[in-house]
Amino acid sequence: MKLFGPGGGFRLLFSLLFFSLLSLASCGAQTVLGLSRNEAGRRLKEGDIDFILDKAPYRMEEIGLIHPSAPYYAGMLVKARAGELPADGALLATPTLVGKFPAQALPEHGTQALAEALFEAALDGKGKIQREAARELMGPLLAKDPGAAGSFLDRLEQRPPSVLLAPDVLVLRGAALYKLGRYDEAAALFEGRDGDEGAGWDRAFALLSALEAKNWGAGAKEELTTFFLSRAPGEAQQWAQGELGDRLQELLGPARAAAVRGRFALAGWAYGQGLGYFREALAGEEDLFFRYPDMLGDLGRAFLYGPGRSQGLELLLGWDRSLREASAGKDWDIRGLRYRILYYAGRIQRQSGQYADAAKSFDSALEFAPDGLQRDACIWYILSMGFQEQPGETVALLRKYLPRWHSPVYFEDIMDRLARYLTVNRRWDTLAELFSLIRDSRDGGTVAKYAYILGRALSEGFLPAASAPMKAEELFRIAFEQEKGSFYYRALAASRLGRTTVPVPEKAEAPGKGPDFGEDAEFILGFFEYGLGGLAFSYLGDTTEFSPEELRAMAGAFAGAGLWAESIRVVSAYMGREDFGVTRQDLELYYPRAFTDMVETRAKETEIPAELLFALVRTESAFVPEIRSQAGAVGLTQLMPATALDMAGRIRRQGGTDYLEEGKINLEDPKTNIHLGAVYLAYLEDRMESPMFALLAYNGGMGRVRNWRRSAPALPGDLFLETIEYPETREYGRKVLAAAAAYGYLYYGMTMEAVVADIYR
């Protein structure tokens, strides 16, 4: 190309301009709000948003240059700085949020405008980033005036088609069009689209836009009724109800409008008010409850928890009689309707103390249960009532219903109560018969429990060998081999067999980010990259949607942020999967050593094994320092204030630290709480028969444990635990011992059996 000669000056000027623009574009691609891309990313991931707060909202698109997901997390950080996120402790668990950086004046345009601009930029992201950004924008968009909605729509329309046609962005477009009064366009936007995009918002805008455009067809009343009555009330339904106001009754009629209001009342736990609305609906259009089956569940709960149970029961049973002879021409799911009717009739009868009638209703409902979970619910109620009324007859009920169980784990509580009853009453023959029924069950925990108790009864001479299904050693072996069973019974059985329990493979990859993680998993993990780990758990949702590898990485991220309780909950969500093999790293996440120096120091001082003190703290609080129980217990070791005062006094009198300040003790302080809890456990050990009895007293009180022990003095400690009256205390003893065995194995070079022997000494 000639730069000189005829036309050369123009070409030179064009070339200089071209390369200047190219250079500017290149620089722009490498800078974010005046910082290099790397520097901006580093600051953002440290929670430093000062470089954002002094910039105009229109520049927030630049944050997307860091990463497509960065604008969403930046928006959440801006909201946190403005105090618009709940300060519940979890959010501030990492040192990257409010308080780390010097306070500065908020920008003139306000943090809300900045946050909204950042969420707009996040619409270019994928998966959950886009969905959550759209959710954050929906409320402000509907609250703004039409002019603001128009500006938002103009900006939105500049995005590429791939973004514009995304379901959640499509719903935002519909909201803006509706706000602008462009109802025909809003209604047309959703024509021919299947599904329920935006959690119902698409239907809300489509229906209300058609109404406002005077395009209210013959079937519109049914469509609007279906929108309100066929799904659980959500934000979209709530908005639509408010938008329609008094027109709701005009559009739907009195009965349907009452049904809608009844559902919203129940969503707010106002059962009496909801029942009043439902009675209006029943008087005007009873068929609504058959055409929209979810309404039957709402009505059943309203009668169950509101006034008028007897009238409700009479209505439900009358409906069931009618449905037995219902016309085949009715477009109803007769079986599904009868299940709901009989199920709630049974619950009302049970609540009213009519156990025999309730059992009949649940047994009838069982025939129509739509899936295994609903079958289990009916059977659980039958067994629970049977045990409450005639515990000795529960075995007969089990013979009848056990073959129909869908998930044996669903019945763990009943099987535990039954094991206690049979042990207390020394009905070893019946326990043996029950074991024979459940031996092949998928509930490894219950199988291990029954096998171990039977083995101990046999070895102690309580059960004659002739009445036993097999030798004690064989029973212990069965308990030991339940790999998905409780560590507690496996370790106990191993100690009887003289074996070493190695619960997991020794070598496995540490939790980390995998290459095949889905967008939703990346979204959750992104909270930790940007210092917002405390918010991540609330977005987790249904854990079955994630692979065990994804969940393991999340658990590791929670643990890395010091959010131990959340980490433990995530691990428990995948460890129980049948197709998943637990690794040592999973166990270390499930049994973490938080506050290690404090725990080990106080354990050594009080001569309590460190593994036992770790197990107590994990069981009591999951390492959450500020946790409080309904009874008033506080902190890591869940001490009652009166107990803490007593222990603090003992420490002070012995020349130790004075934890009393102005008549109070800061039990949320980990150092204080661990010291007082360790002293209290040591105090109980001095007064009880063994560490296990001290643990039981820690949970149930010394007086109760001594009374329980006096009622069963001949039983060895492990069988005595099975007789304890309180289910919570029974399970507490098992959990702490199992956790102590795991801590000893993982961190202190001990066999699990050695820990068991030490605690039951």
Side-chain angles (χ1 to χ4, degrees), residues 22-202:
L22 185 64
S23 176
L24 284 172
S26 176
C27 291
Q30 298 301 319
T31 61
V32 176
L33 302 181
L35 300 174
S36 72
R37 179 182 171 189
N38 289 341
E39 176 65 11
R42 182 189 67 78
R43 289 196 188 185
L44 185 60
K45 291 185 178 184
E46 288 182 353
D48 180 358
I49 56 172
D50 287 348
F51 75 101
I52 292 175
L53 291 176
D54 63 354
K55 302 299 188 299
Y58 75 87
R59 297 192 62 185
M60 293 303 105
E61 294 279 351
E62 295 179 36
I63 299 295
L65 295 173
I66 298 172
H67 188 275
S69 66
Y72 178 80
Y73 300 108
M76 299 301 284
L77 284 164
V78 169
K79 288 182 69 176
R81 175 65 71 89
E84 295 175 15
L85 295 176
D88 59 0
L91 174 63
L92 305 179
T94 53
T96 60
L97 293 180
V98 184
K100 180 176 179 181
F101 302 98
Q104 67 177 60
L106 295 178
E108 292 181 5
H109 41 66
T111 53
Q112 177 65 25
L114 273 182
E116 288 175 23
L118 286 162
F119 293 136
E120 279 189 43
L123 294 176
D124 288 338
K126 295 180 180 179
K128 209 161 187 176
I129 287 285
Q130 190 178 74
R131 294 198 296 274
E132 292 301 330
R135 188 181 67 82
E136 291 284 349
L137 289 167
M138 181 62 72
L141 177 59
L142 292 174
K144 290 182 182 299
D145 58 47
S151 299
F152 172 79
L153 187 61
D154 289 342
R155 294 192 299 274
L156 203 59
E157 297 292 353
Q158 296 174 23
R159 285 182 147 70
S162 60
V163 175
L164 280 176
L165 295 176
D168 296 286
V169 179
L170 193 75
V171 171
L172 286 176
R173 291 170 64 195
L177 290 169
Y178 179 87
K179 192 73 179 177
L180 289 166
R182 292 159 61 178
Y183 303 121
D184 286 328
E185 294 176 67
L189 200 61
F190 301 105
E191 283 182 7
R193 290 187 174 271
D194 296 327
D196 192 14
E197 297 160 340
W201 285 107
D202 58 334

Side-chain angles (χ1 to χ4, degrees), residues 456-629:
R456 289 291 286 125
L458 185 57
S459 62
E460 290 289 331
F462 301 140
L463 174 66
S467 302
M470 58 192 70
K471 294 180 180 179
E473 183 178 348
E474 294 175 288
L475 289 163
F476 293 139
R477 186 178 299 111
I478 289 173
F480 174 75
E481 291 172 353
Q482 301 302 311
E483 293 185 1
K484 292 291 183 179
S486 162
F487 281 170
Y488 175 75
Y489 290 106
R490 291 193 69 204
L492 289 177
S495 67
R496 296 290 163 183
L497 291 168
R499 297 187 180 185
T500 298
T501 308
V502 180
V504 292
E506 285 296 309
K507 299 183 72 175
E509 292 183 6
K513 207 170 187 178
D516 300 324
F517 283 10
E519 292 170 350
D520 286 357
E522 297 283 0
F523 170 72
I524 298 294
L525 292 169
F527 281 100
F528 299 95
E529 291 185 35
Y530 294 95
L532 284 160
L535 292 179
F537 195 83
S538 62
Y539 288 86
L540 193 55
D542 183 3
T543 57
T544 62
E545 296 178 357
F546 299 97
S547 71
E549 290 72 23
E550 289 173 332
L551 291 172
R552 178 189 284 152
M554 293 176 201
F558 278 116
L563 300 169
W564 310 107
E566 288 85 346
S567 178
I568 291 168
R569 288 173 67 182
V570 173
V571 177
S572 67
Y574 67 81
M575 278 212 313
R577 294 190 183 180
E578 292 186 5
D579 58 346
F580 181 73
V582 179
T583 69
R584 184 184 180 96
Q585 281 71 27
D586 296 319
L587 277 190
E588 289 174 352
L589 287 169
Y590 197 56
Y591 295 107
R593 278 198 304 175
F595 309 104
T596 303
D597 291 342
M598 298 179 198
V599 172
E600 291 185 339
T601 297
R602 298 309 180 187
K604 185 176 181 180
E605 289 177 358
T606 55
E607 299 183 352
I608 293 172
E611 67 273 9
L612 181 56
L613 189 52
F614 270 118
L616 182 138
V617 174
R618 182 197 180 279
T619 304
E620 289 285 357
S621 64
F623 300 102
V624 179
E626 66 276 5
I627 194 169
R628 291 173 178 264
S629 73

Side-chain angles (χ1 to χ4, degrees), residues 219-278:
K221 178 179 178 179
E222 291 301 324
E223 287 187 42
L224 191 60
T225 302
T226 299
F227 171 70
F228 279 117
L229 301 185
S230 66
R231 58 178 295 156
E235 289 179 330
Q237 284 82 0
Q238 185 74 55
W239 171 81
Q241 185 197 29
E243 195 76 3
L244 292 172
D246 293 338
R247 291 187 294 169
L248 185 67
Q249 184 161 322
E250 174 189 338
L251 292 166
L252 297 183
R256 297 186 181 198
V260 172
R261 294 186 178 112
R263 298 203 80 192
F264 280 109
L266 253 67
W269 309 95
Y271 294 107
Q273 183 184 42
L275 186 56
Y277 283 127
F278 286 150

